[in-house]
Amino acid sequence: MDEIERRFEIKFSDEHRLFLKTITNGGRPTASAPIPTTGYDGEAADLHGVYGINHPAAYYDMAGALELYEKFLPNLIPFGYDACNCQLYIDMVEIPGRIVYVPRDELDFDQASPPIYHVARSISEFLLLSAKMADEFIDED
């Protein structure tokens, strides 16, 4: 993790470090994980993948995501993506690092920063909100 921070001149939040070390270092959720966006007129799909350090699958590898979205560093650090390849970032401008959503159709690499939509104040809040939304969907069936 330290090597990635040096290479890309970023700093992971303490919570993001803990998440990568204790919850998952990249991969796909085993259950439905809705993304609760605020202010976005469209609809976010479920969380499809989370980036990890040195993950063997290219689509989960943090270094690849950091290279692809390097223009947005160090303020927006890639976290994961939904089934439509819309991106979730850790917004390091907001400590402890809030989760934000960037729809693929609004992503413009010519802009200094992409349009962002609030998801949660932290990774832990995202996990709680997502689980609550998933339970609500299950209850509706």
Side-chain angles (χ1 to χ4, degrees):
M1 204 169 308
D2 295 336
E3 179 186 326
I4 291 279
E5 286 180 323
R6 281 191 297 277
R7 179 176 164 200
F8 290 97
E9 299 178 358
I10 62 170
K11 179 76 173 136
F12 289 107
S13 70
D14 291 341
E15 185 184 41
H16 197 177
R17 282 178 164 276
L18 186 63
F19 178 85
L20 291 169
K21 288 178 180 179
T22 62
I23 296 177
T24 185
N25 184 31
R28 183 178 183 164
T30 57
S32 176
I35 300 171
T37 57
T38 302
Y40 176 54
D41 290 336
E43 187 174 316
D46 284 358
L47 181 64
H48 192 72
V50 173
Y51 300 114
I53 307 296
N54 298 320
H55 199 284
Y59 41 87
Y60 296 136
D61 186 49
M62 178 70 73
L66 289 166
E67 286 172 2
L68 184 61
Y69 301 109
E70 192 166 15
K71 181 173 184 162
F72 306 137
L73 300 175
N75 295 339
L76 296 175
I77 297 178
F79 177 72
Y81 53 93
D82 70 9
C84 300
N85 204 27
C86 300
Q87 298 294 309
L88 287 172
Y89 294 91
I90 306 291
D91 179 357
M92 292 305 294
V93 174
E94 302 275 335
I95 301 302
R98 74 178 175 136
I99 305 284
V100 295
Y101 181 76
V102 177
R104 183 180 58 169
D105 61 341
E106 294 184 26
L107 186 61
D108 182 354
F109 284 100
D110 293 329
Q111 292 178 307
S113 63
I116 60 175
Y117 298 93
H118 179 78
V119 172
R121 292 180 301 234
S122 64
I123 294 171
S124 26
E125 181 181 71
F126 166 68
L127 295 173
L128 288 171
L129 291 171
S130 182
K132 184 175 190 245
M133 286 177 66
D135 286 345
E136 289 172 2
F137 290 135
I138 290 168
D139 289 344
E140 291 177 3
D141 288 342

